[in-house]
Structure formats: structure tokens, C-alpha cells
């Protein structure tokens, strides 16, 4: 009973503090699902998501893109109604490659299957019934994870392709899956490469420092400010923060009970 009482009091204290919290560009949780969808898929943010995509591609020594078209523009009403696509962001590049981006805050090894399912579902949607297979094009999955999934790999960025084992030959460029594990990344990393700057962004680096590394963050800062100044958006943001807080709390309790 004492445990339940303390838990309720802690939750009430959290709600009270979060409701009164003044959110700034630097204190904004950059991993919040509502915020990420807004930043990477709101109309007019194409240059921002393009910079992130190219950062991921450059980090794996792949070609970059010059333009992207956002296929599922952010819609707050649909987001609040739970009707937004499961995949956070879906873009198509000037080379006709499709890029799907998802951010996941909690998970385990089962996420690998989930990411494969989302990739396969998106890939199959490229083709309508009776259409020729030549219409298929590369599908690139980019997964930003706030948990560790590959414990035997030290790198924070892993990329997987379909390859022939003996000859290390890539079967096709149509399947590419990137996993970016934020806990493995040291925010004190001195690298000023595009991807490093983006990971610092997600982990809470001050915007003034990021702007010195990559001028795209001047535009990001403006979009962050627009997000904060919108009552409907910031209310949705707070709601998602509460949901994640209580879900995380429930998971920790379940772990203790099963240990």
C-alpha cells in the first residue's frame, strides 16, 4: 500500500511540474514522437529531413540526394485521432528511392522484426496489382532508437543489406535498413559530421552549438520555436510526454515484479 501511495504521489508531482514547465527550444524533448513527426514531415521542412537523410547515407558511404518529397505530411488532427501512419515519416527522393524514418524510445530485440515488417509493408505498397516488377524502387528504412538493440556491436550506426555470404555480393540495393542507437553515442563526440550533429540534437545539445556545426540548425531552431508557440502542437507534445512517462513507469514495475 505504501508503494502504491508513493507511486501515485510521484505521478501527481510529475504532472504538476510538467504542466507548469516553460518549454524552450533547448529544453524541448527532441525525441518526442509528436515533435519528430512535425519536424521531419510538416510542409516546408523538406530541407531539414533531407539533411538528416543525407547524414545517415554519408555515414555509411552511400550516395546522397538533392531533393525529397514528403509523402505523409504531418496532420495534427490525424495524429491526435491515432490515424497517422505507423511509420513516422515517409519520403521519396529525386532518384525515386523511398525513405521511411521511425523513432522508437523503448524496445528490445523484437524491434528488428517490427522494422522488417514496416520495410516489407512499405516496399509492397510500391506496386499495385498486375503492375510490372520493374516499377519497384529502393526502400530505405532509418530507425532512430533510444535503446540498445545490438549489444555485440559498439558502433551507434549499423546498416544492413541483402548479401551473398561467400562472396559478400549485394543482391539488390532495394533493401537497406539503418539502425541508429542513441545510447551508444557520446554527446561529447567532437565530430562535426552531419549525422553526429543530428544525434547531438536528439540527445539535447544546445542549439547554438549545433548551428556552429551545421547551418541547417538555423532552420531547425525556427521550426522548434514555431512548434513551441503553437498551443495545439505543444499540448499534443505534453500529452505524448505523459504517455511515455507512464508507459515507462509501467515497464519498470513489470521488470521488478518479474525479476
Amino acid at each position: 500500500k505504501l508503494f502504491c501511495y508513493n507511486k501515485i504521489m510521484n505521478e501527481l508531482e510529475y504532472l504538476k511540474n510538467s504542466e507548469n514547465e516553460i518549454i524552450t527550444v533547448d529544453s524541448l524533448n527532441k525525441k518526442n514522437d509528436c515533435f519528430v513527426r512535425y519536424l521531419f514531415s510538416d510542409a516546408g521542412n523538406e530541407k531539414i529531413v533531407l539533411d538528416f537523410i543525407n547524414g545517415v547515407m554519408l555515414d555509411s558511404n552511400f550516395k546522397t540526394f538533392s531533393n525529397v518529397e514528403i509523402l505523409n505530411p504531418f496532420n495534427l488532427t490525424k495524429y491526435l485521432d491515432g490515424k497517422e501512419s505507423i511509420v513516422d515519416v515517409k519520403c521519396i527522393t529525386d532518384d525515386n528511392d523511398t525513405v521511411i524514418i521511425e523513432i522508437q524510445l523503448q524496445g528490445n530485440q523484437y524491434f528488428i522484426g517490427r522494422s522488417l515488417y514496416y520495410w516489407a509493408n512499405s516496399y509492397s505498397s510500391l506496386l499495385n496489382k498486375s503492375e510490372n516488377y520493374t516499377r519497384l524502387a529502393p526502400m530505405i528504412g532509418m530507425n532512430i532508437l533510444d535503446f540498445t538493440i545490438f549489444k555485440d556491436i559498439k558502433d551507434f550506426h549499423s546498416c544492413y543489406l541483402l548479401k551473398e555470404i561467400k562472396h559478400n555480393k549485394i543482391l539488390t540495393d532495394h533493401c537497406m535498413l539503418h539502425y541508429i542507437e542513441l545510447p551508444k553515442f557520446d554527446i561529447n563526440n567532437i565530430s562535426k559530421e552531419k549525422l553526429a550533429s543530428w544525434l547531438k540534437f536528439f540527445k539535447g545539445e544546445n542549439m547554438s552549438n549545433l548551428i556552429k556545426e551545421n547551418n541547417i540548425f538555423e532552420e531547425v531552431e525556427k521550426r522548434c520555436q514555431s512548434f513551441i508557440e503553437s498551443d495545439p502542437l505543444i499540448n499534443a507534445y505534453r500529452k505524448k510526454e505523459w504517455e511515455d512517462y507512464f508507459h515507462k513507469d509501467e515497464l519498470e514495475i513489470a521488470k521488478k515484479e518479474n525479476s
Side-chain angles (χ1 to χ4, degrees), residues 140-151:
I140 304 168
M142 296 183 177
N143 303 284
I144 308 165
L145 311 178
D146 200 27
F147 57 94
T148 299
I149 194 170
F150 304 116
K151 300 185 186 302

Side-chain angles (χ1 to χ4, degrees), residues 20-258:
N20 297 325
E21 179 190 8
I22 298 175
I23 300 173
T24 66
V25 169
D26 283 328
S27 69
L28 185 71
N29 178 11
K30 311 304 192 304
K31 295 176 287 190
N32 179 282
D33 180 70
C34 180
F35 171 73
V36 172
R37 293 192 189 211
Y38 165 83
L39 184 68
F40 280 170
S41 64
D42 194 42
N45 288 6
E46 288 81 3
K47 288 183 179 179
I48 292 174
V49 71
L50 175 64
D51 191 88
F52 171 76
I53 290 171
N54 282 343
V56 175
M57 297 299 282
L58 281 170
D59 196 61
S60 293
N61 297 316
F62 287 115
K63 66 177 182 179
T64 57
F65 309 106
S66 57
N67 289 288
V68 295
E69 174 190 353
I70 297 170
L71 297 180
N72 57 338
F74 181 79
N75 183 298
L76 181 58
T77 301
K78 287 184 178 180
Y79 177 79
L80 293 174
D81 290 341
K83 295 179 182 178
E84 277 277 288
S85 168
I86 295 175
V87 175
D88 290 356
V89 181
K90 182 181 283 188
C91 306
I92 187 167
T93 72
D94 45 352
D95 290 345
N96 206 37
D97 294 12
T98 302
V99 181
I100 53 177
I101 304 172
E102 182 179 6
I103 185 163
Q104 186 71 17
L105 303 185
Q106 300 166 30
N108 50 38
Q109 293 295 313
Y110 291 111
F111 183 82
I112 296 172
R114 169 176 164 151
S115 61
L116 280 168
Y117 174 79
Y118 288 166
W119 175 88
N121 191 49
S122 296
Y123 187 63
S124 64
S125 69
L126 295 176
L127 208 63
N128 295 318
K129 189 175 182 180
S130 301
E131 285 187 327
N132 195 292
Y133 291 115
T134 57
R135 293 179 60 87
L136 291 170
M139 177 70 61
I140 304 168
M142 296 183 177
N143 303 284
I144 308 165
L145 311 178
D146 200 27
F147 57 94
T148 299
I149 194 170
F150 304 116
K151 300 185 186 302
D152 57 337
I153 297 176
K154 293 182 179 180
D155 299 325
F156 58 80
H157 178 199
S158 304
C159 180
Y160 292 82
L161 306 168
L162 290 176
K163 285 187 175 184
E164 201 287 323
I165 297 175
K166 291 183 180 179
H167 305 286
N168 195 35
K169 181 181 178 182
I170 297 175
L171 177 66
T172 173
D173 63 351
H174 281 208
C175 180
M176 183 185 295
L177 290 169
H178 296 265
Y179 298 90
I180 300 165
E181 302 167 90
L182 294 177
K184 292 181 178 179
F185 180 78
D186 182 1
I187 197 169
N188 296 316
N189 189 317
I190 61 174
S191 172
K192 294 184 180 181
E193 295 176 0
K194 282 182 182 290
L195 185 57
S197 295
W198 274 107
L199 300 195
K200 291 176 185 178
F201 169 76
F202 285 121
K203 297 198 73 168
E205 179 64 273
N206 288 340
M207 196 65 68
S208 58
N209 294 334
L210 294 171
I211 291 172
K212 294 175 184 177
E213 295 184 3
N214 183 347
N215 58 18
I216 193 63
F217 286 101
E218 293 180 0
E219 185 63 28
V220 172
E221 183 178 40
K222 293 176 184 176
R223 301 304 285 174
C224 287
Q225 193 62 47
S226 296
F227 183 87
I228 292 169
E229 293 173 354
S230 167
D231 287 340
L233 285 172
I234 207 65
N235 288 338
Y237 164 91
R238 290 185 190 273
K239 181 180 178 182
K240 185 59 182 173
E241 288 290 279
W242 296 339
E243 288 176 357
D244 290 341
Y245 173 84
F246 290 117
H247 181 58
K248 184 178 181 180
D249 193 39
E250 290 171 358
L251 288 176
E252 289 177 353
I253 293 172
K255 286 180 181 178
K256 289 179 181 178
E257 291 176 348
N258 293 327

